Amino acid sequence: MSSVLVLGIDPHLVPGIDADVMRAVLDGELARFGALGVDASMALIAFDESAGPAMVAALSGRPWDVVVVGGGLRKPEALLPLFEQSVNLIRQHAPQAAIAFNTSGGDSVEAAQRWL
């Protein structure tokens, strides 16, 4: 069974969005992975010093075939250092994993499928 980790920002920490709606979209993606026979997990991180350790814990928890990096980590220019950190932590703690990028919270399955 293929394994996918989706890294993203906790929607409850993002001002100006409906966090419950976004969380429902993310949970829907996990269900879509399951329906396809893909074992998927999500690591939703904060914008603080806990981000690095949280990513390391998720990346080190098991071998991943693909790590999908969500738009919340890479699109806001102000988060460029966090995006760089996430890519380097993937390289260090899940070197066997392909790295994929989604365009929204609702297409993580398609992003992962490019590499599965």
Side-chain angles (χ1 to χ4, degrees), residues 51-86:
M55 285 188 281
V56 169
L59 291 164
S60 302
R62 60 172 293 181
W64 301 105
D65 294 312
V66 179
V67 176
V68 177
V69 180
L73 280 171
R74 69 177 191 287
K75 289 183 180 179
E77 189 174 322
L79 293 182
L80 181 61
L82 184 58
F83 171 59
E84 289 177 340
Q85 180 184 23
S86 68

Side-chain angles (χ1 to χ4, degrees), residues 84-102:
E84 289 177 340
Q85 180 184 23
S86 68
V87 171
N88 282 299
L89 289 174
I90 294 166
R91 289 180 56 236
Q92 292 171 357
H93 298 282
Q96 75 290 344
I99 301 172
F101 303 99
N102 63 16

Side-chain angles (χ1 to χ4, degrees), residues 43-60:
L44 300 176
I45 62 171
F47 298 108
D48 60 22
E49 66 280 345
S50 70
M55 285 188 281
V56 169
L59 291 164
S60 302

Side-chain angles (χ1 to χ4, degrees), residues 99-110:
I99 301 172
F101 303 99
N102 63 16
T103 61
S104 72
D107 70 355
S108 295
V109 170
E110 289 78 11

